[in-house]
C-alpha cells in the first residue's frame, strides 16, 4: 500500500516503517495578522481570543494495486503564549545624589504590549530612584515584564558609592579689627561630612 498526503504543512515527516506522521508545530504556526484591527485588539488584549487555536486540514490517500481511498484529517493546534524575555540587563553602579533610571530591553515573541514593574528602591512603575547623600550601599531590585498572561522577573543589583563632599567651614566673628602689636583670635570650626 502506498500512502500519500495532500496539503501537509511544512515540517511534517512521515515514517514509512511504522506508518506514522510526525509534526511539531513551531511557535509561529499561529501568528498575528498585523494591520490596524490586529493592533487595536492586541492593545486591549483581545486578539489572543481570536488566535486561541487553528485547525490544519489535510488529506491522506492510501492506494493498493487497483484501488485508492482517501480520508480527511484535521489537527487542532492551540496557541501557546511566550513569556517576555529580557536582554542586556546589567547591574548598575552610581554615586550618591545620582538619579537611577532603569530602562530594560525586553522582547515578546507574540508582540504583546508589555507592562513593567519594579521593586524598591525604584519607583514601582517608572523604574527611577533619586539617591540621597545617605544612600550608600548595595541594593537588589526586581524587574518584572508582564504581557497580559505571563510574566518574567529578573534581579538587578544597584551599587551606590559614597559621594565625597567638600568640608564645611564656620568662622565666628570673621570681621576683626586689631591694633598693631596686639593679639587677636578667630574661632574656626571645620568639619568633613
Amino acid at each position: 500500500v502506498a500512502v500519500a498526503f495532500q496539503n501537509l504543512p511544512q515540517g511534517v515527516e512521515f515514517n514509512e516503517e511504522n506508518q506514522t506522521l510526525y509534526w511539531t508545530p513551531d511557535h509561529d504556526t499561529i501568528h498575528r495578522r498585523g494591520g490596524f484591527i490586529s493592533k487595536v485588539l492586541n492593545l486591549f488584549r483581545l486578539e489572543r481570543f481570536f488566535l486561541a487555536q487553528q485547525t490544519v486540514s489535510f488529506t491522506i490517500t492510501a492506494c493498493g494495486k487497483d484501488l485508492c481511498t482517501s480520508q480527511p484529517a484535521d489537527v487542532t493546534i492551540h496557541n501557546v503564549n511566550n513569556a517576555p524575555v529580557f536582554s542586556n540587563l546589567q547591574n548598575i553602579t552610581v554615586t550618591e545624589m545620582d538619579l537611577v533610571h532603569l530602562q530594560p530591553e525586553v522582547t515578546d515573541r507574540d508582540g504583546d504590549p508589555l507592562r513593567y514593574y519594579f521593586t524598591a528602591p525604584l519607583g514601582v512603575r517608572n523604574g527611577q530612584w533619586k539617591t540621597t547623600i545617605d544612600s550608600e550601599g548595595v541594593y537588589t531590585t526586581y524587574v518584572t515584564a508582564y504581557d497580559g498572561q505571563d510574566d518574567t522577573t529578573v534581579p538587578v543589583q544597584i551599587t551606590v558609592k559614597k559621594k565625597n563632599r567638600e568640608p564645611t567651614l564656620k568662622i565666628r566673628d570673621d570681621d576683626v579689627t586689631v591694633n598693631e602689636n596686639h593679639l587677636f583670635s578667630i574661632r574656626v570650626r571645620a568639619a568633613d561630612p
Side-chain angles (χ1 to χ4, degrees):
V1 176
V3 179
F5 304 93
Q6 283 112 17
N7 301 326
L8 279 180
Q10 285 191 346
V12 176
E13 294 179 15
F14 179 67
N15 186 326
E16 290 190 32
E17 271 183 38
N18 61 11
Q19 299 288 301
T20 306
L21 198 66
Y22 295 99
W23 183 36
T24 304
D26 63 14
H27 283 286
D28 294 327
T29 303
I30 301 175
H31 59 278
R32 296 182 59 211
R33 290 178 178 48
F36 177 74
I37 293 174
S38 177
K39 287 180 182 178
V40 170
L41 289 172
N42 195 31
L43 181 66
F44 291 106
R45 302 190 191 283
L46 297 173
E47 188 177 40
R48 65 185 169 109
F49 296 111
F50 295 96
L51 299 175
Q53 67 184 31
Q54 177 180 334
T55 301
V56 175
S57 300
F58 56 93
T59 304
I60 304 171
T61 303
C63 293
K65 186 176 180 183
D66 297 324
L67 299 172
C68 292
T69 185
S70 293
Q71 183 174 339
D74 293 332
V75 175
T76 301
I77 304 158
H78 293 272
N79 197 359
V80 175
N81 185 54
N82 293 285
V85 177
F86 284 88
S87 60
N88 201 19
L89 192 59
Q90 299 177 355
N91 295 332
I92 299 171
T93 301
V94 295
T95 304
E96 290 175 327
M97 303 301 291
D98 286 348
L99 175 67
V100 177
H101 188 186
L102 189 61
Q103 294 178 302
E105 293 180 23
V106 183
T107 56
D108 186 77
R109 190 173 178 152
D110 304 313
D112 296 326
L114 299 173
R115 288 195 180 137
Y116 302 100
Y117 302 97
F118 306 89
T119 60
L122 300 177
V124 173
R125 293 291 204 144
N126 64 7
Q128 293 184 4
W129 174 38
K130 176 68 172 144
T131 60
T132 65
I133 204 67
D134 298 318
S135 298
E136 179 185 20
V138 178
Y139 303 84
T140 300
T141 187
Y142 293 89
V143 183
T144 301
Y146 178 64
D147 70 0
Q149 294 180 54
D150 293 317
D151 59 38
T152 303
T153 302
V154 296
V156 176
Q157 183 175 313
I158 301 171
T159 303
V160 181
K161 294 182 177 180
K162 188 78 176 156
K163 179 179 178 122
N164 188 17
R165 295 180 282 169
E166 60 189 29
T168 60
L169 180 63
K170 289 187 180 179
I171 302 173
R172 192 171 145 204
D173 299 326
D174 61 351
D175 187 11
V176 177
T177 303
V178 67
N179 290 328
E180 290 181 336
N181 204 25
H182 283 93
L183 176 68
F184 74 94
S185 66
I186 298 176
R187 181 167 277 184
V188 177
R189 285 182 28 201
D192 188 343

